[in-house]
Amino acid sequence: MRVLVAYASRHGATAGIAERIADNIRADGHAVDALKIPAPAADPNEYDAVVIGSSVYLGHWEKSAKAYVHEHRDVLAAKPVWLFSSGPLGDEDLDEQGRDKRVVAEPSDLPELVEAVGPHEHHVFFGGLDPKQLGVGPKLMRTLPAGRKLLPAGDFRDWAEIDEWSHGIARTLDAP
Ligand SMILES: Cc1cc2nc3c(=O)[nH]c(=O)nc-3n(C[C@H](O)[C@H](O)[C@H](O)COP(=O)(O)O)c2cc1C
């Protein structure tokens, strides 16, 4: 099958997840393109299945990724679609209030995205943050201890989890 992995990534962490998902589904025998949104070539009409991902900033998907879903909602709704978000940072699964970080990180746009395209699944992956790449605002925030706690530096992407999720997509596509 032809599979599109379309992603929005501000600083590269989500791009890395998307490329890994694409590599895995390709290794499982499908023809896969991984394209950054906005990409003129990323026309979902040309694919049998679509995976769409975005980093989460201040509780939201990147505007470009949301716009992509809405622009192509009719085509996407008729195909198998998977969504993922890259967000939580740090080595712990739970935040200071004992809440599951993956649940807290679910973007507030999720209900409208689910309504628009009816995905098989939405998965939250831990992300990554390189302080050198940050803009002035977030950099300033990280000068405070509370800011550094909220936005810890490091690569927290769980490659085994990403591999498992992507091979699961390939298995679903292979199912009769
Ligand atoms: C200013 C700022 C705000 C962020 N807000 C959130 C957030 O609301 N929820 C979350 O889970 N992650 C948040 N993150 C973490 C990013 O989503 C994470 O670093 C992500 O992997 C970045 O992906 P990218 O490099 O592809 O942009 C934030 C990071 C920064 C720098």
Side-chain angles (χ1 to χ4, degrees):
M1 282 195 183
R2 292 206 63 192
V3 182
L4 170 65
V5 180
Y7 63 92
S9 177
R10 207 178 286 188
H11 297 304
T14 315
I17 295 172
E19 294 287 352
R20 179 77 161 229
I21 291 169
D23 287 348
N24 284 326
I25 300 177
R26 197 175 293 120
D28 289 340
H30 298 278
V32 189
D33 292 327
L35 297 171
K36 187 169 178 174
I37 299 168
D43 179 356
N45 269 307
E46 293 169 19
Y47 297 88
D48 304 302
V50 183
V51 181
I52 307 170
S54 173
S55 37
V56 179
Y57 284 92
L58 304 178
H60 291 277
W61 257 28
E62 292 282 65
K63 279 202 180 79
S64 60
K66 249 177 81 170
Y68 184 81
V69 168
H70 285 297
E71 186 187 340
H72 298 287
R73 60 186 297 158
D74 294 340
V75 175
L76 290 168
K79 293 184 191 287
V81 169
W82 284 261
L83 305 178
F84 72 91
S85 299
S86 120
L89 301 167
D91 295 314
E92 309 293 331
D93 281 339
L94 303 181
D95 69 9
E96 287 200 317
Q97 286 98 54
R99 300 173 303 174
D100 186 332
K101 283 191 192 173
R102 286 184 177 80
V103 174
V104 174
E106 282 187 355
S108 35
D109 327 282
L110 188 59
E112 72 178 73
L113 297 170
V114 168
E115 155 96 31
V117 297
H120 275 259
E121 199 190 335
H122 167 256
H123 197 95
V124 174
F125 293 110
F126 272 63
L129 185 147
D130 175 359
K132 289 198 285 294
Q133 294 187 332
L134 294 179
V136 181
K139 241 184 202 142
L140 208 62
M141 216 172 129
R142 292 194 75 262
T143 57
L144 304 169
R148 282 198 296 280
K149 211 169 187 183
L150 210 61
L151 297 174
D155 187 349
F156 306 102
R157 292 172 294 181
D158 183 337
W159 299 110
E161 182 188 11
I162 294 162
D163 291 349
E164 197 183 316
W165 193 70
S166 24
H167 291 307
I169 291 175
R171 276 196 301 278
T172 303
L173 296 176
D174 289 338

